[in-house]
Amino acid sequence: MTATETGQAQTDVQRPDPDYMPFHAAPKRPDFVPPPGAVDAHCHVFGPAARFPFAPTRKYTPVDAPAETLFALRDHLGFARNVIVQATCHGSDNSAMLDAIARSDGRARGVAVVAKDVDDAELDRLHAGGVRGVRFNFLKRLVGNAPKDDYVRIAERIAARGWHIVVYFESAELADLEPFIRALPGTIVIDHMGRPEVADGPEGAGFARVLGLMASDPRFWIKVSCPERLTVAGPPYDDVVPFARRLVEAFPDRVLWGTDWPHPNMTSHMPDDGLLVDRIPAIAPTEALQRALLIDNPMRLYWPEEAGA
Ligand code: 0GY
């Protein structure tokens, strides 16, 4: 899957890491049919590197995962829209994501990563290009030491635009990070359920802290995504379902769902995206919960003009 749009291979300097796992080549067609208008609210595009080179500062070099492959997957899975989240391998150059959004016929929006000195013209350009939020990453493996001062400055800059902030951390870090995250302005979306330790079960201390954060302040939203990254048992991720279900039932109007395609940095196995979709009824067991998770919530956050919010 290193072929690019133009048929060239990724160049030497941009060649995928030798142990990098490519996305599933032929995911099943899900048995669960998402409601019409469903949104995959967390996915990425990578490259193609020949056109959109990866950042010199990146911590990994992935396999190309271009927009047309994402859109084909969207259709195959029965989804209508994507929220494309800027991944660290592209740094703060959002070109690949903006190009994908521009080619989506209005069916994609984005979450950007921006530099601390981003100017208003660039924020205007990103907004016009479909960006509705910024992502702050706290994973040392992905960004080293999180530049918190920069994040504060960026948060102040974007607050007036009605954008939200997406935060990515591991639950073990939350005790230290919580004061910082609580002090951020506006709506804050937590990636991947706050990455709980699934071995501790849903009663574990880390997940309790995530639940407490969600319960304490309606500005917090959360993505019930990434069972493949969190699981101990492996597919079909029965050990992760109770975490997601608890969040969906407790906070039905502040949860989002996403594939996380193309699943960067997976080392144990590569998930079948069709199977991920098939787990949705287990985490959102009623049609009302499914509708909120897959349509109403993401539309409110990313297409408010269509959601009537
Ligand atoms: C994810 C998870 C990961 C990667 C990134 O920005 C990224 O590079 O988010 C990860 O490695 O856990 O959300 O895609």
Side-chain angles (χ1 to χ4, degrees), residues 104-153:
S104 73
D105 293 326
R107 296 169 68 185
R109 288 239 153 122
V111 174
V113 169
V114 298
K116 64 177 176 194
D117 53 357
V118 64
D119 61 18
D120 281 336
E122 172 69 356
L123 292 175
D124 288 346
R125 189 178 77 90
L126 292 170
H127 193 92
V131 169
R132 294 296 179 268
V134 292
R135 191 182 198 204
F136 295 164
N137 203 316
F138 296 92
L139 263 66
K140 286 203 167 47
R141 140 175 97 71
L142 294 173
V143 293
N145 284 326
K148 287 189 186 165
D149 291 346
D150 298 352
Y151 289 169
V152 168
R153 200 179 312 176

Side-chain angles (χ1 to χ4, degrees), residues 42-44 46 60 85-90 113 135 137 139 141-143 168 170 191-192 195 223 225-226 229 260-266:
H42 188 105
C43 50
H44 310 283
F46 292 157
Y60 63 94
V85 177
Q86 172 79 354
T88 53
C89 56
H90 274 300
V113 169
R135 191 182 198 204
N137 203 316
L139 263 66
R141 140 175 97 71
L142 294 173
V143 293
Y168 188 24
E170 289 172 331
D191 270 344
H192 310 334
R195 292 203 55 144
K223 292 180 197 163
S225 48
C226 262
R229 227 177 260 290
D260 196 30
W261 187 89
H263 312 285
N265 304 311
M266 285 298 291

Side-chain angles (χ1 to χ4, degrees), residues 198-199 201-202 227 230-234 236-243 279:
V198 164
L230 304 173
T231 187
V232 178
Y237 316 118
D238 286 337
D239 55 342
V240 189
V241 164
F243 291 79
R279 299 317 321 257

Side-chain angles (χ1 to χ4, degrees), residues 41 189 214 220-224 244-257 284 289 292-298 300:
V189 181
M214 287 294 298
F220 287 100
W221 292 47
I222 196 158
K223 292 180 197 163
V224 290
R245 182 159 174 164
R246 188 168 297 192
L247 288 166
V248 167
E249 290 184 332
F251 311 105
D253 56 353
R254 290 186 277 141
V255 282
L256 301 169
W257 185 93
L289 288 173
L293 177 66
L294 299 173
I295 304 174
D296 298 343
N297 299 345
R300 232 164 60 240

